[in-house]
């Protein structure tokens, strides 16, 4: 097991802290690292795609789980897969797609590990029909604070605390996952424009149930009658018969493309209001008013930013602050108010996505709940950004909503308590399982988890 000292950030590249990094190659080495973690504790880390400080541990240790990356068994008849927690969704796609199986849930990047997917209980464009990642976990092996390994299954308190628990109940070592069958590696995509936020919500409410995947890019710089104008994209896994003859020869090929690496140094002002407004205008205008049945690669539909390695560098050295919240159905006016506030403040976010969530899953700190979720990225250099986001937090909490911990780096603990009603149960189980604080992170200290 290798050990070194590193400075780490989340994908947003803000608030770096230094920790001792262990790289276990076996479950036994992971247990040794946990038992010897010291007074500042330890936290598991995968590919570093949590945007905030959930996988950082200032002055403590971090377990880099990426060497534990074996796919142990595949049942090609049922789609059941047993794999180590350090396996990435990208690797699973490489291996399982040629066999006719696809991951049940994927976020906007395939470069997340299985352990991270469970710990953050990730969601994707199909939440309204498929739920979050933990719904498709049959069981998992969890390394707890006493150095023991427990098999954890759905329906238990430990499973519900671990799914969305941000790695604070233990180190996920492996999991058994249920994949979904697909006939091809292409998507059949429908794209349409919505003239404003109300038009978008009406379209989603009326027809979202007809699509497996659905999400809308939203222009948060548009104002007046155009406030919330959007490009809505929905899709299904393409059946074999719609493919061109040449593509039918290798219908399950997985060939994600890649563009040049984003530069390490980015000119100041590249993502200012003027440039983002221009981008948004062009993006909206070039989108079709209505187009149905376009064939796209999986990588184009689900993970367009993965084609640009280190795309987070485009925000410059100071990084960016992601913000994602959900408010329930019936709270549409709260969503309108928040979108208008962002629009009036002229926040330059070219990565803004609105989706509908379906029924939530039982994770005590799992983010999704039935309702509307909006995700945006903001340059960390925006004036008074912290105060502005605090104000949005209050609006979200008053509406009975919550923010996503996997993207958070600045939420206040008193606001967290208002957003997650099962937080006391989570803290109580943590105190019972881990009385000495073997598992800690910058996020857990900041929010008192």
């Amino acid at each position: 097991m290798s050990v070194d000292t590193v400075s780490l950030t989340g994908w947003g590249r803000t608030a770096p802290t230094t920790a001792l990094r262990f790289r276990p190659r076996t479950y036994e080495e992971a247990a040794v690292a946990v038992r010897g973690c010291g007074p500042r504790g330890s936290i598991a880390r995968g590919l570093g795609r949590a945007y905030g400080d959930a996988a950082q541990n200032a002055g403590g240790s971090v377990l880099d789980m990426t060497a534990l990356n074996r796919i142990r068994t595949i049942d090609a008849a049922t789609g059941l897969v047993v794999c180590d927690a350090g396996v990435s969704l990208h690797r699973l796609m490489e291996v399982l797609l040629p066999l006719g199986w696809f991951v049940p849930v994927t976020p906007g990047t395939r470069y997340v590990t299985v352990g991270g997917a469970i710990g953050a209980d990730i969601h994707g464009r199909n939440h309204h029909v498929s739920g979050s990642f933990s719904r498709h976990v049959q069981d998992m092996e969890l390394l707890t604070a006493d150095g023991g390994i427990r098999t954890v299954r759905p329906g238990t308190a430990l499973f519900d605390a671990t799914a969305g628990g941000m790695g604070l109940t233990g180190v996920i070592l492996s999991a058994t996952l249920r994949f979904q069958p697909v006939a091809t590696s292409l998507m059949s995509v429908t794209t349409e424009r919505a003239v404003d936020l109300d038009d978008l919500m009406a379209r989603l409410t009326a027809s979202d149930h007809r699509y497996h995947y659905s999400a809308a890019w939203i222009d948060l710089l548009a104002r007046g009658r155009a406030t919330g104008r959007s490009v809505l994209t929905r899709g299904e896994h393409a059946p074999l018969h719609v493919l061109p003859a040449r593509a039918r020869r290798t219908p399950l090929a997985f060939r994600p493309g890649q563009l040049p690496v984003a530069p390490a140094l980015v000119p100041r002002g590249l993502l200012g209001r003027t440039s983002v407004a221009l981008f948004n205008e062009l993006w909206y205008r070039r989108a079709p008013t209505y187009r149905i049945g376009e064939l796209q690669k999986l990588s184009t539909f689900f993970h367009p930013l993965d084609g640009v390695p280190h795309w987070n560098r485009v925000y410059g050295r100071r990084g960016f602050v992601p913000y994602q919240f959900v408010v329930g159905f019936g709270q549409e006016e709260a969503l309108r108010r928040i979108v208008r506030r962002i629009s009036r403040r002229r926040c330059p976010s070219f990565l803004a996505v609105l989706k509908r969530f379906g029924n939530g899953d039982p994770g005590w700190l799992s983010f999704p709940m039935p309702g509307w979720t909006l995700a945006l990225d903001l340059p960390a250099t925006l004036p008074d950004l912290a105060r502005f986001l605090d104000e949005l937090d209050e609006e979200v909490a008053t509406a009975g909503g919550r923010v996503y911990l996997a993207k958070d780096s600045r939420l206040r603990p008193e606001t967290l308590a208002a957003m997650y009603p099962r937080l006391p149960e989570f803290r109580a189980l943590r105190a019972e399982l881990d009385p000495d604080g073997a598992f800690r992170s910058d996020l857990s200290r900041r929010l008192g988890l």
Side-chain angles (χ1 to χ4, degrees):
M1 176 168 55
S2 65
V3 184
D4 59 356
T5 300
V6 291
S7 177
L8 297 170
T9 70
W11 191 246
R13 303 178 74 205
T14 59
T17 56
T18 301
L20 196 64
R21 177 173 58 188
F22 292 85
R23 287 176 165 161
R25 294 163 297 181
T26 64
Y27 295 172
E28 292 75 18
E29 289 184 351
V32 168
V34 167
R35 285 194 293 265
C37 64
R40 295 286 287 182
S42 186
I43 194 72
R45 182 181 176 95
L47 291 168
R49 290 303 181 103
Y51 284 66
D53 55 2
Q56 297 171 228
N57 187 22
S61 62
V62 168
L63 270 65
D64 182 331
M65 299 294 290
T66 55
L68 289 168
N69 60 359
R70 286 174 293 177
I71 299 175
R72 294 177 172 266
T73 64
I74 298 172
D75 188 330
T78 65
L80 276 182
V81 177
V82 181
C83 63
D84 288 345
V87 175
S88 69
L89 298 192
H90 173 82
R91 181 59 181 156
L92 289 172
M93 291 177 197
E94 284 185 322
V95 174
L96 272 297
L97 259 174
L99 302 178
W101 298 96
F102 188 64
V103 291
V105 171
T106 177
T109 176
R110 60 187 179 274
Y111 294 108
V112 297
T113 62
V114 167
I118 298 171
D121 201 14
I122 60 171
H123 56 271
R125 295 182 175 206
N126 60 340
H127 189 275
H128 60 294
V129 293
S130 297
S132 52
F133 197 85
S134 65
R135 187 180 299 186
H136 308 276
V137 176
Q138 182 167 290
D139 59 56
M140 57 181 145
E141 299 294 307
L142 185 72
L143 172 63
T144 51
D146 59 5
I149 298 176
R150 304 189 188 194
T151 300
V152 185
R153 295 186 173 87
T156 63
L158 186 52
F159 187 96
D160 294 346
T162 302
M166 308 310 294
L168 296 171
T169 60
V171 178
I172 300 168
L173 297 174
S174 68
T176 303
L177 310 174
R178 293 183 296 271
F179 278 57
Q180 62 171 320
V182 294
T184 75
S185 61
L186 294 175
M187 301 295 296
S188 177
V189 180
T190 297
T191 304
E192 56 193 293
R193 287 193 303 203
V195 297
D196 58 23
L197 182 60
D198 284 343
D199 183 27
L200 173 63
M201 289 193 290
R203 291 170 187 257
L204 285 166
T205 300
S207 59
D208 228 22
H209 63 280
R210 300 205 303 261
Y211 297 89
H212 200 72
Y213 300 98
S214 179
W217 168 87
I218 182 169
D219 182 358
L220 293 177
L221 284 175
R223 293 184 289 183
R225 292 182 178 179
T227 299
R229 67 178 180 178
S230 312
V231 178
L232 175 57
T233 307
R234 272 90 75 93
E236 301 288 340
H237 292 281
L240 184 63
H241 71 268
V242 305
L243 268 59
R246 184 174 181 179
R248 289 182 206 173
R249 300 173 193 165
T250 55
L252 292 166
F254 180 54
R255 303 187 186 97
Q258 197 167 83
L259 297 173
V261 175
L265 297 176
V266 177
R268 293 185 63 182
L270 179 64
L271 293 180
R273 292 185 180 95
T274 301
S275 57
V276 173
L278 177 61
F279 170 86
N280 287 358
E281 181 70 26
L282 293 173
W283 190 260
Y284 181 76
R285 294 297 176 190
R286 73 183 291 271
T289 303
Y290 186 78
R291 180 176 62 202
I292 188 170
E294 179 191 13
L295 292 178
Q296 293 183 5
K297 291 181 178 180
L298 287 168
S299 55
T300 301
F301 182 78
F302 289 109
H303 314 120
L305 288 175
D306 282 349
V308 185
H310 304 296
W311 63 262
N312 55 343
R313 293 177 180 175
V314 302
Y315 289 89
R317 290 180 176 176
R318 296 282 296 277
F320 68 98
V321 178
Y323 189 73
Q324 183 169 8
F325 69 89
V326 57
V327 293
F329 296 125
Q331 293 294 332
E332 286 76 13
E333 187 53 42
L335 176 62
R336 293 186 187 99
R337 285 196 303 269
I338 293 171
V339 169
R340 287 196 296 266
R341 290 183 69 167
I342 296 170
S343 175
R344 284 197 302 268
R345 199 175 187 275
R346 307 290 288 160
C347 294
S349 176
F350 73 93
L351 296 175
V353 176
L354 183 75
K355 293 182 290 198
R356 279 166 52 99
F357 278 158
N359 292 331
D361 289 288
W364 293 345
L365 297 186
S366 185
F367 168 65
M369 56 182 275
W372 304 93
T373 180
L374 176 64
L376 57 148
D377 296 339
L378 297 169
T381 53
L382 284 180
D384 297 322
L385 179 59
R387 183 172 64 180
F388 177 67
L389 293 180
D390 285 344
E391 293 170 356
L392 294 190
D393 289 343
E394 292 177 10
E395 186 106 39
V396 170
T398 300
R402 58 182 63 143
V403 301
Y404 191 19
L405 295 183
K407 290 188 175 182
D408 176 59
S409 59
R410 26 75 42 202
L411 184 67
R412 297 176 185 272
E414 60 272 18
T415 311
L416 173 77
M419 293 177 171
Y420 286 88
R422 304 198 72 173
L423 181 61
E425 295 170 76
F426 179 81
R427 286 172 169 158
L429 185 140
R430 279 255 295 149
E432 177 186 343
L433 275 181
D434 185 11
D436 297 323
F439 300 114
R440 301 183 188 183
S441 65
D442 290 355
L443 178 138
S444 74
R445 276 187 285 270
R446 175 169 55 82
L447 293 178
L449 293 173

